[in-house]
Amino acid sequence: MTDRAAVPAPTDLPGGPEVGPGPEGALLTVTGADRPGVTATLFAALEALGGEVVEVVDVEQVVVHGQLVLGVVVRGPGVAGGGALADRLAATAAEVAAATGLAVTTEPATATEPPERGPRHHVTVLGRPVPPAAVAGAAQAIAEVGGNIEAVRRLSDYPVTSFELTVSGAGSTQLRTALGAVAARTGTDVAVEQAGLVRRSKRLIVLDVDSTLVRGEVIDELAVRAGRAGEVAGITAAAMNGELDFEQSLRARVALLAGLPVGVLDEVREQLVLTPGARTLIRTLQRLGFRCGIVSGGFTQITDPLAAALGLDFAAANTLEVADGRLTGGLVGEIVDRAGKARALARFAAEHGIPLEQTVAVGDGANDLDMLAAAGLGIAFNAKPVVREQANAALNQPYLDAVLQVLGFTRDEVLDAG
């Protein structure tokens, strides 16, 4: 859908006279199979009416699977009142219909100003697939909280299907609560963001690593090699669910790795599997000018080479202590825990001169919560329930590049950036 274009009314022009609603308006609607030249033909015909008596005040056009809907509101004295100009406009519509083979209708359009729309939001519905029940449920939920759907557009059809609804007249909390129930009921994802320039002003993204950028948990893989898999997995699950203090749980798990040869770290790193869509997400955002990095409760011996391989701008993680070629079971340096992740995000943003409201954070565990809250947009990715409930948006799709649709990018824009 193209952006709405409007010419200000005479009363809005600097120095313009303070008059009433102004001349009458008429809506011309063109529908049918799209083809090159339709818009040009219509506006050329309107030009022939004379710019002094007819002005264009609104235009909106959309093409859905080759079918065009083009609406144009024109204004002029008597344009909708059955006078000579109205007759000429009707004749113009007939001429355009004959020239294009499309249907062209005219009807009166109100000359009064539209009502105040209230707050506006973008509601993104994602799924694989998106069932009709999800769209119907979203529309109903929006109406029940007093919202109005102004526009709908498809963002992507692969790897997930996603639609963006522009909604006015409802608050963020109301929408998230109502639409969260729809998402849970239909098995889809629904994200709500406030509309405005800030949405497209994002310039930095920080990704968690384990179970976000890569599949699985690195420390669990190390534990398998140390013969302590069961013990470590239990502590990891409790920590990610927010049941244990992260630093204490991290030190307890690392202690179980004591004695592992340092070469095991290389083995685990080489076997890492990126989450589907990870490379597409990073490559696309980098080409769009984003700063991209990772913040992990894992280990620099894993994350630093990974960041270098992906061409990332920054990385932060914990460092395993090594002595005589083996892990000691300890850590060195500052601990990157829940608070540490938020500090790292703020540090990276400051280093690149980017306000926090222009940042995005993506993670899955309870130790990501502070980072998600600090970012301008926090996205829970296949996250634990406590994280989904508190994040700005939650994605349960298996593809990390679905983040691009939450940011409002279409599939075509992703392909163009690639």
Side-chain angles (χ1 to χ4, degrees):
M1 180 177 296
T2 58
D3 292 334
R4 182 180 293 263
V7 177
T11 53
D12 298 328
L13 294 174
E18 295 184 4
V19 296
E24 299 174 355
L27 169 65
L28 291 90
T29 305
V30 183
T31 56
D34 190 30
R35 66 195 66 183
V38 173
T39 305
T41 299
L42 174 61
F43 280 92
L46 292 174
E47 181 184 12
L49 291 175
E52 295 183 1
V53 292
V54 172
E55 63 172 326
V56 177
V57 296
D58 202 357
V59 180
E60 190 158 336
Q61 176 174 316
V62 63
V63 178
V64 181
H65 283 272
Q67 294 298 305
L68 168 72
V69 179
L70 168 59
V72 180
V73 177
V74 297
R75 184 165 53 196
V79 77
L85 188 55
D87 292 340
R88 291 176 62 195
L89 189 63
T92 296
E95 292 170 6
V96 173
T100 62
L102 278 67
V104 183
T105 61
T106 65
E107 60 185 281
T110 178
T112 59
E113 291 299 318
E116 180 64 35
R117 294 180 303 183
R120 298 176 74 242
H121 294 82
H122 293 298
V123 173
T124 308
V125 181
L126 308 94
R128 194 168 180 262
V130 174
V135 180
Q140 181 63 34
I142 290 167
E144 289 175 352
V145 297
N148 179 59
I149 300 174
E150 296 182 353
V152 181
R153 65 168 180 158
R154 186 183 71 177
L155 295 177
S156 65
D157 58 1
Y158 179 86
V160 298
T161 300
S162 60
F163 300 96
E164 179 185 85
L165 288 66
T166 302
V167 177
S168 63
S172 300
T173 301
Q174 293 173 301
L175 284 170
R176 288 195 177 99
T177 300
L179 292 168
V182 175
R185 186 171 68 249
T186 61
T188 53
D189 293 332
V190 183
V192 179
E193 293 179 74
Q194 191 166 348
L197 294 177
V198 68
R199 188 188 193 203
R200 284 297 185 100
S201 71
K202 301 295 189 296
R203 299 164 52 200
L204 180 148
I205 188 169
V206 166
L207 302 165
D208 174 44
V209 176
D210 294 352
S211 299
T212 300
L213 180 64
V214 303
R215 290 179 165 177
E217 299 282 332
V218 166
I219 197 168
D220 290 345
E221 295 300 321
L222 294 174
V224 169
R225 289 160 173 78
R228 312 296 291 270
E231 297 165 84
V232 168
I235 299 174
T236 297
M240 291 300 99
N241 284 322
E243 300 168 8
L244 293 176
D245 173 79
F246 181 80
E247 181 175 349
Q248 292 178 342
S249 70
L250 177 64
R251 292 188 182 279
R253 287 175 289 170
V254 168
L256 296 173
L257 305 179
L260 267 181
V262 70
V264 169
L265 295 171
D266 295 329
E267 295 176 12
V268 170
R269 186 178 65 250
E270 290 171 0
Q271 294 177 12
L272 289 178
V273 177
L274 291 175
T275 299
R279 290 187 186 277
T280 298
L281 172 66
I282 292 169
R283 181 178 65 246
T284 301
L285 292 181
Q286 286 175 331
R287 292 181 178 178
L288 292 171
F290 271 62
R291 296 289 186 173
C292 302
I294 51 178
V295 177
S296 174
F299 311 113
T300 57
Q301 289 93 336
I302 301 292
T303 58
D304 285 353
L306 178 62
L310 292 173
L312 301 180
D313 297 292
F314 47 81
N318 299 294
T319 300
L320 293 165
E321 185 179 52
V322 178
D324 300 323
R326 292 183 179 273
L327 304 186
T328 67
L331 296 163
V332 296
E334 179 184 357
I335 299 299
V336 180
D337 56 4
R338 174 170 167 168
K341 285 191 168 189
R343 288 194 299 271
L345 167 63
R347 182 171 68 251
F348 294 141
E351 288 174 357
H352 294 288
I354 298 173
L356 277 175
E357 58 265 25
Q358 294 182 355
T359 67
V360 181
V362 185
D364 74 299
N367 64 325
D368 294 313
L369 281 171
D370 288 5
M371 178 176 73
L372 298 181
L377 175 64
I379 301 175
F381 180 74
N382 289 312
K384 313 304 183 288
V386 67
V387 183
R388 291 199 304 269
E389 292 168 3
Q390 298 185 46
N392 299 124
L395 286 174
N396 296 304
Q397 308 302 321
Y399 306 101
L400 194 57
D401 52 342
V403 168
L404 293 168
Q405 276 69 68
V406 176
L407 293 173
F409 295 109
T410 67
R411 175 70 176 167
D412 288 342
E413 287 172 322
V414 173
L415 294 175
D416 289 343

